Amino acid sequence: MNRVWRAAESFEPRGIPLALVRSILAFAQLTTILLSPDRLLFANPLGTTPETRCAGLNGVSLWCVTGGDAQADTLGRVLAIAALLVVVVGYRPRWSCIAHWYIAFSIAVDGTATNGGDRVAEILTMLLIPICLDDRRSWSWRMPTRPLRPAWRGSAFAAHAMLRCQIAIIYLNAVISKLTFPAWHQGTALGILAHDPEYGVPSVLRPFAQQLLSHAWATDLLTWSVLAVETLIALSMAFRRRTRSYGLLLAILLHGAIILLMGLFSFGLIMITLVLAACADMPDVGSTCDHNRQEALPSRSRTRIGTSP
């Protein structure tokens, strides 16, 4: 318990990793909005009308608030792009974090061109709100000049701990759900996925993939390695930042391969930023804040408080 208390007291998330998380995540969502036409992004399944699409909680999403018709879809798209661009450049994280969550929520509940990463982005942006609300910097790329206030530091620490738990749950659930299919525990799943007409290996890489996966040992090894990597990522969330950074490396390798071989660009980026967010705690930044404040003091003041000129 004392270790957790000390970690909470020194917790400081406002470093470059957090800025990268928010910018890369917003960029991934931008690709979905910019590259998906309305007929895919806001498709109405058979028997569904714009009115039923915006019923219940969905009614507060951006594209329903703007009207839910074709003209409103364009307006909502423009507003979402503008908000995400603000997040990408890192301007005013204290307020842009709220708009970012709202856009992520709207995409998750109203968009139909989803790939699983949209729900993850909704959870991630929601948990980033307590982390960013006391961030009074104009730009998230600048080092903070003052520490977080104690109450907000506690809230940010709790949100970050919840984020790590959520990551562990997501990856362990992925492993368990895969093991319910015989192809995964038999080691043949990747061989089947490689030939899938929608998510299979691109035609450029298909000859190489077919040659590799023609060997049973290679198919078994690659299939089981996916399960092992996802398990290790989940377990790394229970340890210190250095161990979590190894989990981040595994996530980059895993989802980088998914982007390359399956073309799930937005999904891969979102999952990488999710694990990167678990490495956003920077306990050394607090001391940097104190150092910056002392450097800003006149030499007489520094001598008076016991620091060397």
Side-chain angles (χ1 to χ4, degrees):
M1 184 60 68
N2 289 336
R3 178 179 167 184
V4 174
W5 183 260
R6 289 195 300 270
E9 285 185 324
S10 62
F11 181 72
E12 176 53 80
R14 297 171 299 169
I16 296 301
L18 180 62
L20 286 172
V21 165
R22 301 185 68 245
S23 294
I24 298 174
L25 179 61
F27 174 75
Q29 293 168 307
L30 269 175
T31 61
T32 298
I33 294 176
L34 290 173
L35 302 180
S36 301
D38 285 345
R39 60 183 176 82
L40 293 179
L41 192 59
F42 306 108
N44 291 318
L46 186 63
T48 303
T49 64
E51 289 75 19
T52 57
R53 192 186 78 188
C54 293
L57 183 62
N58 291 16
V60 300
S61 69
L62 174 61
W63 285 276
C64 290
V65 169
T66 54
D69 54 20
Q71 184 176 359
D73 289 346
T74 301
L75 175 61
R77 187 186 292 263
V78 171
L79 293 174
I81 291 172
L84 291 174
L85 285 174
V86 171
V87 178
V88 168
V89 300
Y91 183 67
R92 296 291 181 185
R94 185 183 187 185
W95 303 119
S96 61
C97 67
I98 300 175
H100 194 186
W101 168 79
Y102 181 60
I103 299 301
F105 163 79
S106 300
I107 294 174
V109 302
D110 203 33
T112 53
T114 56
N115 52 32
D118 304 288
R119 292 292 182 181
V120 172
E122 180 189 4
I123 295 171
L124 175 55
T125 52
M126 179 181 65
L127 291 174
L128 288 178
I129 291 177
I131 295 176
C132 295
L133 273 183
D134 197 43
D135 190 349
R136 303 188 178 189
R137 296 172 297 167
S138 298
W139 300 95
S140 61
W141 304 102
R142 295 177 180 175
M143 293 300 291
T145 57
R146 64 181 67 180
L148 291 170
R149 289 175 290 182
W152 280 111
R153 180 181 288 123
S155 299
F157 179 78
H160 191 261
M162 182 62 69
L163 174 62
R164 289 163 56 185
C165 291
Q166 187 66 52
I167 294 171
I169 292 171
I170 288 173
Y171 280 97
L172 287 177
N173 181 68
V175 172
I176 294 170
S177 62
K178 286 182 175 68
L179 289 175
T180 61
F181 295 94
W184 279 98
H185 56 74
Q186 290 172 1
T188 60
L190 286 190
I192 298 172
L193 285 174
H195 297 88
D196 186 273
E198 185 173 358
Y199 296 108
V201 176
S203 57
V204 177
L205 301 173
R206 192 164 297 166
F208 170 77
Q210 289 177 343
Q211 183 178 1
L212 176 62
L213 296 174
S214 63
H215 304 285
W217 65 266
T219 305
D220 293 346
L221 178 63
L222 291 174
T223 299
W224 292 331
S225 66
V226 172
L227 300 176
V229 166
E230 290 180 334
T231 302
L232 289 174
I233 294 173
L235 294 178
S236 70
M237 295 299 109
F239 296 92
R240 294 183 178 182
R241 186 174 182 271
R242 182 175 180 179
T243 304
R244 279 178 268 137
S245 66
Y246 296 139
L248 172 61
L249 177 60
L250 291 174
I252 292 173
L253 294 175
L254 173 64
H255 295 291
I258 291 175
I259 292 173
L260 178 64
L261 299 178
M262 301 179 67
L264 297 177
F265 181 77
S266 176
F267 171 77
L269 277 186
I270 289 173
M271 297 307 295
I272 289 172
T273 56
L274 176 70
V275 183
L276 176 59
C279 303
D281 48 328
M282 303 285 289
D284 57 317
V285 178
S287 60
T288 303
C289 296
D290 295 335
H291 176 72
N292 290 341
R293 288 203 308 273
Q294 290 183 8
E295 287 297 322
L297 291 172
S299 58
R300 287 185 180 180
S301 301
R302 292 201 300 269
T303 304
R304 195 178 303 123
I305 63 176
T307 58
S308 57

